[in-house]
């Protein structure tokens, strides 16, 4: 069966992620100690009405987190499709969230920073096992929910692909499988008539895409992506994220994400094994 182990630091959004998985008909269990995971999955696998499960485990389990890698290896050895979703966020964001909600960190007394450090230490083994890492520092609960739904929706066995534009000044997207940098292209931000627009407008698109260097990039990037995506599909990967970044994430990266997604998913030249293709512009509305 499909098993998603949801873990990560407190305040990073595990509850939101699990509720999204529950809406996708995952059988969800919270705070399950690692020594019980294998037995519990075997119990679920014996039921015909349960095909997918999401299990939450985190630093609250204390010493029961030990040996997580071995438990996951055993599950995979017995044929289960196991993924580890790790939710994280910068300490400064987590501190603000705990302050706003007035919740107490599970591992801290009066020093939340010390609790966060101890939590990260306890979760290090699971962090190394992560098949997906989502940094929720810049995400609202609605954005996180949409991201989880996008990644774990039923897909008929084909590769679900996300094209993501972003700005390097806002940080790298940790969920990306492939990152391409287009900051070498002329920046529309410095053109007065284009600065306030985005890469979705025809004026900015033409400014970015009509240049010889942009055309050369698109040709080579499309070839690279086809090679990688066909390989991902052959290896049975369920989803992939291709991130394209410029400085602010408003102009060049947006235009190129729109163009490459159109080329890769077009009916006349779609990548073999490719399923649903979605486009997200993480930083387009930021200044």
């Amino acid at each position: 069966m499909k098993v998603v182990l949801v873990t990560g630091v407190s305040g990073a959004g595990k509850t939101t992620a699990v509720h999204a998985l529950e809406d996708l008909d995952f059988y969800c269990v919270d705070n399950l100690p690692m020594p019980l995971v294998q037995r519990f999955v075997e119990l679920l696998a014996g039921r015909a009405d349960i095909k997918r499960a999401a299990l939450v485990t985190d630093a609250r389990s204390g010493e029961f987190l030990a040996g997580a890698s071995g438990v996951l290896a055993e599950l995979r050895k017995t044929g289960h499709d196991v993924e580890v979703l790790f939710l994280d966020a910068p300490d400064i964001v987590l501190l603000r969230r705990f302050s706003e909600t007035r919740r107490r960190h599970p591992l801290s007394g009066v020093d939340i920073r010390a609790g966060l450090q101890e939590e990260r230490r306890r979760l290090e083994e699971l962090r190394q096992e992560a098949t997906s890492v989502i940094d929720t520092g810049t995400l609202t609960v609605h954005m996180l929910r949409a991201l989880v739904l996008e990644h774990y929706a039923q897909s008929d066995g084909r590769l679900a692909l996300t094209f993501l534009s972003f700005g390097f000044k806002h940080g790298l997207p940790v969920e990306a499988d492939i990152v391409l940098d287009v900051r070498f292209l002329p920046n529309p931000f410095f053109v007065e008539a284009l600065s306030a627009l985005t890469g979705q407008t025809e004026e900015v698109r033409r400014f970015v895409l009509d240049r010889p260097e942009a055309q050369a990039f698109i040709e080579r990037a499309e070839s690279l992506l086809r090679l990688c995506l066909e390989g991902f599909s052959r290896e049975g990967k369920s989803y992939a994220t291709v991130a394209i970044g410029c400085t602010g994430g408003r102009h060049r990266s947006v235009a190129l994400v729109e163009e490459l997604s159109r080329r890769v998913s077009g009916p006349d030249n779609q990548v073999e094994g490719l399923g649903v293709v979605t486009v997200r512009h993480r930083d387009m509305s930021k200044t």
Side-chain angles (χ1 to χ4, degrees), residues 116-170:
L116 288 172
Q117 291 177 356
E118 173 61 16
E119 184 173 40
R120 292 189 188 283
R121 185 191 66 78
R122 292 188 185 185
L123 293 172
E124 182 58 30
E125 184 178 1
L126 281 174
R127 179 66 174 77
Q128 295 299 318
E129 289 285 338
T131 51
S132 297
V133 177
I134 298 179
D135 184 343
T136 68
T138 61
L139 303 180
T140 66
V141 292
H142 305 294
M143 294 166 67
L144 174 57
R145 171 181 164 77
L147 190 58
V148 173
L149 291 174
E150 176 183 297
H151 276 191
Y152 293 101
Q154 292 279 18
S155 67
D156 71 4
R158 295 188 295 168
L159 176 69
L161 174 63
T162 298
F163 277 95
L164 171 67
S165 71
F166 72 97
F168 278 95
K169 75 175 185 179
H170 301 296

Side-chain angles (χ1 to χ4, degrees), residues 3-15:
V3 180
V4 177
L5 184 69
V6 181
T7 187
V9 296
S10 301
K14 294 191 296 294
T15 299

Side-chain angles (χ1 to χ4, degrees), residues 161 163 226 229 260-266 269-271 274:
L161 174 63
F163 277 95
R226 287 183 180 280
L229 296 175
L260 282 169
S261 66
R262 182 187 65 79
R263 290 183 176 228
V264 169
S265 61
N269 56 355
Q270 187 177 37
V271 173
L274 186 63

